[in-house]
Amino acid sequence: SVSFEQFHVICSVGLQGRDFSPEFMSRLKPFIENGGGFWFLARPDQNAGSEYATSPIANLLPVEFDSTVPPKEDPKEPKTQKPSPAKKEKRPSPTIALLLVVDKSGSMAGRKLELVKEACRVTGDTLSPEDSIGVIAFDAKPKWALEFTSPTRKAHIRDRIYRILADGGTDMYPAIQEAYRGMKTHPRAKKAGIRHVILFSDGDTREADFRTLVTNMAEEGITLSTVCILR
C-alpha cells in the first residue's frame, strides 16, 4: 500500500462507502490529524448519502450525511407536473483581491519556504480571471514580489513567486501595514468586492499594536488570515 506521508493532499472523488476500508482509514486518519489535507467529493447519486452515513468516513468528516433513502417512483403512477419555480435574477459574484504575504526570513529557508511557494501558486489557480492576486515577501522589511495582477498570467506569477529567497530577520508589522496600504491604493484591489490577506510565517516577531491595525483593516472590509508553518 502507498504511504500517505509523501503527499500534502489526498483527494477522494466519487468513491463508494465500502471503499473506505478499515485499512484505508487507519492510514487516512493519522494523515489528517498530522496536518494533511483531505478533499472529499461525493458520488452524484441520490443514494450516496445513506451509503456514506454508514461508512467510516462519516466519523471523520465535519458533516452529516442524510441516511434516508429516497422512495422509488412507481412507473404505473402518473407523474404530476410540478410548477416551474420563479426564475431568480442572476447577480454577478463579487471579484476577489487576494494578497499573499510571505515570511522569507532565514528560518524559512529550505522546505518551509518551498511549501509556501507551492501553496501560493496553487492558491492563485483557484481564482477567476476577473480576480486579482499579489504577493509581498518580507523579512525585517516588506517588498512586493508580485504587484496585483490577473490570475491568468500563470507563468509570470509562478516566476515571481519562485524568485523569493530566504534571508534576514522577521518583522510582521511593517508587512501587514504594507498589505493594508496596497489594498487601499492599488486600482485592482480598490474595486474588488472581496479583499483578503493571507500571511504565511513560521516564527515570532517584535511586539506591535497588531490589534488596532487589523481592526482598522476590518473596518474597511479587508480581512486577514494567518498560516503558521511548522515543518
Side-chain angles (χ1 to χ4, degrees), residues 50-92:
S50 59
E51 181 182 307
Y52 292 130
T54 57
S55 169
I57 196 65
N59 298 322
L60 188 62
L61 297 177
V63 297
E64 292 185 5
F65 294 103
D66 186 358
S67 59
T68 59
V69 179
K72 295 182 179 180
E73 294 184 356
D74 187 349
K76 297 180 181 179
E77 184 177 343
K79 296 182 179 179
T80 56
Q81 187 70 26
K82 295 182 179 179
S84 301
K87 292 185 178 180
K88 295 183 179 180
E89 181 182 355
K90 291 186 178 180
R91 297 181 180 179

Side-chain angles (χ1 to χ4, degrees), residues 91-156:
R91 297 181 180 179
S93 300
T95 56
I96 299 171
L98 182 65
L99 182 52
L100 307 174
V101 182
V102 177
D103 181 352
K104 69 170 211 66
S105 59
S107 62
M108 289 287 291
R111 180 170 174 76
K112 290 181 182 179
L113 187 56
E114 293 306 315
L115 285 172
V116 171
K117 289 179 182 180
E118 185 64 14
C120 291
R121 185 193 66 78
V122 173
T123 300
D125 290 343
T126 66
L127 299 175
S128 300
E130 298 80 13
D131 298 329
S132 301
I133 183 171
V135 180
I136 292 176
F138 74 95
D139 40 47
K141 295 180 180 179
K143 182 178 180 180
W144 285 83
L146 175 70
E147 292 281 348
F148 278 110
T149 189
S150 169
T152 58
R153 302 179 65 192
K154 295 183 184 297
H156 174 68

Side-chain angles (χ1 to χ4, degrees), residues 168-189:
T170 306
D171 196 348
M172 296 181 191
Y173 193 81
I176 300 176
Q177 280 184 315
E178 179 61 19
Y180 183 22
R181 186 199 66 79
M183 281 293 195
K184 292 195 301 179
T185 60
H186 196 282
R188 292 186 69 100

